[in-house]
Amino acid sequence: MGGGGQQQLQQLSQELQAIDAEIEELQTDIEGLRTEQSEIDEAVEAINTLESGSTVQVPLGGGAYVRAEVDDIDEIVVSLGGGYAAEQAQGGAIETLHRKQDALDDRIADVESEIDELEQESAQIEQQAQQMQQQMQQQQMQQMQQLQEDQDE
């Protein structure tokens, strides 16, 4: 099992590294989804607190903003996804944003489930690698004992 065992251990180590990288990527995805949820929370809060005639700063991109006056808080344009947006009344806009948050919650749960499965797979591979290392150590001990016995004869 000597060289072959080392090769198998190396392969298991590479699998563990790939799983760790995938878990890290999924955790980054969750952070992005949670950021999106926070932005929705801020939008809902703004819709609830702003009044017609309020002055707001509107992002232009690149960190630039322009001051603007809210003409009518009951006319809110909400992104529907896929590049589409629709003008909605205040209540409808909030409802749409809450549906988006629910969808994000579902996606986060799915990603967390994927992470759990990968962590279980990782634990199984680690256990397999430990068993292989123990077997290899036992074989080495047996070989050393055999060599010692052969030299004593």
Side-chain angles (χ1 to χ4, degrees):
M1 184 173 175
Q6 289 291 353
Q7 191 175 7
Q8 284 179 313
L9 279 175
Q10 187 175 359
Q11 184 178 0
L12 291 175
S13 175
Q14 289 171 348
E15 286 179 36
L16 285 171
Q17 288 174 357
I19 289 172
D20 286 345
E22 193 170 347
I23 288 172
E24 197 172 310
E25 187 177 318
L26 291 172
Q27 288 171 333
T28 300
D29 289 349
I30 288 175
E31 287 174 23
L33 294 169
R34 289 206 169 117
T35 297
E36 198 172 334
Q37 282 186 319
S38 293
E39 291 170 357
I40 290 173
D41 284 338
E42 291 171 9
V44 169
E45 184 178 342
I47 292 168
N48 282 327
T49 57
L50 287 174
E51 297 175 359
S52 296
S54 298
T55 301
V56 294
Q57 291 189 50
V58 179
L60 299 175
Y65 296 84
V66 65
R67 283 201 176 99
E69 186 176 301
V70 177
D71 187 38
D72 185 356
I73 194 63
D74 280 331
E75 295 175 3
I76 299 168
V77 178
V78 180
S79 171
L80 302 175
Y84 293 97
E87 187 175 297
Q88 296 181 331
Q90 194 172 9
I94 290 173
E95 190 177 308
T96 298
L97 292 170
H98 283 307
R99 279 197 306 271
K100 281 184 170 188
Q101 278 195 317
D102 290 344
L104 290 170
D105 284 338
D106 291 345
R107 179 66 186 131
I108 288 170
D110 289 346
V111 174
E112 286 174 339
S113 178
E114 285 181 57
I115 289 172
D116 288 344
E117 289 174 17
L118 288 169
E119 286 174 343
Q120 289 174 7
E121 185 179 343
S122 177
Q124 289 174 346
I125 291 172
E126 284 178 10
Q127 186 177 14
Q128 185 180 354
Q130 287 175 350
Q131 288 173 346
M132 287 181 66
Q133 284 180 322
Q134 288 173 351
Q135 288 174 350
M136 289 171 60
Q137 287 172 348
Q138 287 174 349
Q139 286 180 348
Q140 287 175 346
M141 293 283 285
Q142 289 171 350
Q143 289 172 354
M144 288 176 64
Q145 286 174 347
Q146 187 66 42
L147 284 172
Q148 186 68 32
E149 290 173 8
D150 290 347
Q151 288 178 352
D152 288 344
E153 291 179 358

